[in-house]
Amino acid sequence: MKVNVLPGTRFHSTQLIDKLYGLQCDVKVYSSSPKKNFKTSASFSYQFVPQIAVILERVFKTDLAPLELGQNKIYDQLCSYLIRDCDVLHGWAGLSLTSGIRAKRRGSVYLLERSCPHVLFQEELIARESEKLKVPYIPKPRWWLERSLQEYEEAHAIITPSDYTRDTMIERGIPQNKLKKIPLDRMVQVKIPNQKFKKNNLTVGTIVGNPLRKGLVYLLEAWEKIKLPEAKLIIKMNPVHLEAFPLLREMVQRQPSVEVRGFYPCISDFYHECDLFVLPSVDDGFGLVITEALAHGLPCIATDHVGAVENFKNLPFVKVVPAANSEALATQIQQLHTHQEELSAQRESIIHYFRSLKNRPSLYELGIEDLYQPLLNQKRSLFSQSDSLANPS
């Protein structure tokens, strides 16, 4: 079976490629990321498709996010001319509408990866956070919203990594049988040090990309409430991003125990510096950094808007709090500061957890196999309640 994969750059496509290769699929990837960056022993064909803004960002080390939406549309249009005939087109949201429609006309199945929540839910959330942070709300262009909604409509199935993302789709009217949850796991190397240096002070770490979605304001509010002695908060983010958020900049400046760090040559150095990792996101369809922090032996606190926490339900080393709730964050951090012996116990639980994974199948691989097996078996549909995918109406 021929599968065309359109991830834009890479995202988690390497894991997909590995599994499709194991299912004996003929895979061709269309990406602006060089083939050498796909760290896999799987055999696959490759077509370079440039994303100009991504390339310029890498060369000039600058942020060209405002160009992203137009760039993604151009990438999709280029792919629509370049893609070969296939049985399945597996594309990422925002990057595959035109190609997906063209593939459908030739009888292909169109599968859409959407890690983030429904685009309209996300826009409402960003509007609220813009008000909270006292910055202008800049809505996505209408053409982009319409394009995103059309992708949902055209796709035969939409793949989400979490119930958080999936539920926002259902709430917005996407048929439940069109949605397939496939959790992301096993995407990071375990780098837990043999011995963690013991100290009395607590170092808390977080990683921030887009401050509107990552909930940094709630963590800073929580940190200011509890005023922990002998404690430090390290925020890994590009310091330039703070310039667009005066409120956040002022909150950081008035708290001496808060440090903003930019680039780390080795991300493990950041994690190994911390005792506890906090992800206060108000919107994180998955949030791979939770898995990454755990793989470095760090207990975590995260919100219920971080999809990755669903992989660690009822496990002692991941504490879940409501999103946009600084009081709940403060309570959890305060408790672990008061009982730092819990961190050592949780770290041991993390070590046992990752050891146990060696004997468990990957949730992602099981999900992809479940999704593709009906097509490999030439059944009429992926889901019992859906229309025929091989012959869409």
Side-chain angles (χ1 to χ4, degrees):
M1 183 170 72
K2 291 184 177 181
V3 182
N4 290 345
V5 178
L6 279 64
T9 51
R10 277 176 297 154
F11 295 105
H12 52 277
S13 61
T14 301
Q15 204 173 6
L16 173 66
I17 294 165
D18 284 340
K19 184 57 183 177
L20 292 178
Y21 176 73
L23 294 173
Q24 299 184 330
C25 295
D26 176 358
V27 179
K28 185 164 186 176
V29 179
Y30 300 78
S31 173
S32 67
S33 185
K35 186 175 183 179
K36 65 181 181 180
N37 290 348
F38 292 80
K39 306 299 184 183
T40 175
S41 59
S43 175
F44 66 97
S45 303
Y46 170 84
Q47 172 68 58
F48 174 72
V49 183
Q51 286 182 285
I52 303 301
V54 170
I55 295 171
L56 291 177
E57 281 182 334
R58 290 171 182 163
V59 173
F60 296 106
K61 308 297 183 184
T62 187
D63 182 10
L64 296 176
L67 303 178
E68 180 183 355
L69 302 186
Q71 166 196 258
N72 290 352
K73 183 178 179 180
I74 293 171
Y75 162 86
D76 178 25
Q77 290 171 333
L78 288 172
C79 286
S80 71
Y81 291 111
L82 295 171
I83 56 172
R84 62 178 182 173
D85 288 342
C86 61
D87 300 294
V88 178
L89 187 139
H90 195 127
W92 265 244
L95 295 156
S96 59
L97 174 62
T98 306
S99 302
I101 291 173
R102 184 173 183 181
K104 283 177 64 178
R105 288 174 181 163
R106 298 178 179 181
S108 305
V109 171
Y110 175 28
L111 302 180
L112 181 69
E113 290 266 357
R114 174 69 182 179
S115 295
C116 293
H118 192 287
V119 66
L120 297 182
F121 172 92
Q122 193 171 53
E123 280 299 291
E124 291 176 0
L125 184 149
I126 291 174
R128 291 196 301 270
E129 291 304 302
S130 296
E131 183 177 2
K132 167 80 174 178
L133 292 172
K134 300 179 181 180
V135 295
Y137 164 54
I138 303 175
K140 292 286 195 302
R142 184 173 181 82
W143 67 264
W144 178 261
L145 298 178
E146 291 175 351
R147 174 183 168 84
S148 299
L149 295 175
Q150 189 179 359
E151 274 185 329
Y152 303 160
E153 180 70 24
E154 294 287 349
H156 291 111
I158 302 171
I159 303 162
T160 74
S162 63
D163 287 331
Y164 163 62
T165 292
R166 182 173 174 270
D167 290 347
T168 67
M169 296 283 184
I170 295 172
E171 290 166 5
R172 291 286 178 169
I174 305 295
Q176 186 168 342
N177 65 329
K178 192 173 188 174
L179 298 160
K180 178 71 173 177
K181 176 187 172 182
I182 303 182
L184 299 170
D185 61 350
R186 313 294 177 82
M187 293 181 64
V188 296
Q189 289 185 319
V190 178
K191 297 181 179 180
I192 300 175
N194 291 329
Q195 288 186 332
K196 182 75 173 178
F197 177 69
K198 295 182 179 180
K199 54 193 175 192
N200 294 324
N201 60 320
L202 179 73
T203 300
V204 178
T206 190
I207 295 178
V208 176
N210 181 350
L212 285 172
R213 296 175 54 226
K214 297 301 181 180
L216 177 59
V217 64
Y218 303 103
L219 177 55
L220 289 172
E221 286 178 349
W223 196 257
E224 199 162 29
K225 289 176 193 293
I226 51 183
K227 294 181 172 60
L228 298 176
E230 303 296 326
K232 178 168 61 176
L233 171 62
I234 300 175
I235 303 169
K236 184 188 178 302
M237 69 178 297
N238 187 338
V240 174
H241 291 170
L242 277 180
E243 297 306 310
F245 298 90
L247 178 66
L248 294 178
R249 187 179 66 242
E250 291 169 11
M251 294 178 76
V252 168
Q253 289 174 346
R254 68 173 178 251
Q255 299 189 66
S257 60
V258 177
E259 299 179 13
V260 176
R261 307 272 186 86
F263 177 70
Y264 276 77
C266 177
I267 190 62
S268 292
D269 293 340
F270 164 75
Y271 287 118
H272 290 159
E273 193 173 351
C274 302
D275 305 301
L276 173 67
F277 185 80
V278 179
L279 191 60
S281 300
V282 293
D283 173 34
D284 234 323
F286 189 68
L288 181 62
V289 290
I290 287 292
T291 309
E292 196 171 65
L294 290 170
H296 286 83
L298 292 183
C300 297
I301 300 172
T303 74
D304 55 2
H305 280 198
V306 176
V309 301
E310 297 169 20
N311 287 356
F312 309 102
K313 286 182 178 178
N314 303 317
L315 293 173
F317 44 78
V318 177
K319 307 293 185 183
V320 182
V321 300
N325 190 322
S326 57
E327 291 285 351
L329 280 169
T331 298
Q332 283 292 345
I333 296 170
Q334 176 76 68
Q335 181 176 341
L336 287 172
H337 179 265
T338 304
H339 304 284
Q340 292 192 41
E341 67 278 2
E342 286 187 29
L343 294 174
S344 297
Q346 289 176 10
R347 184 173 176 277
E348 290 303 313
S349 295
I350 293 169
I351 293 171
H352 291 311
Y353 170 78
F354 279 107
R355 285 175 180 166
S356 72
L357 287 185
K358 295 179 181 179
N359 301 318
R360 299 184 201 171
S362 162
L363 296 176
Y364 183 82
E365 291 182 6
L366 291 174
I368 290 297
E369 183 168 357
D370 182 56
L371 184 67
Y372 272 85
Q373 200 64 60
L375 296 174
L376 291 165
N377 293 341
Q378 297 183 340
K379 293 182 180 178
R380 288 181 59 81
S381 67
L382 291 175
F383 308 104
S384 59
Q385 301 177 38
S386 62
D387 294 331
S388 170
L389 297 184
N391 299 291
S393 58

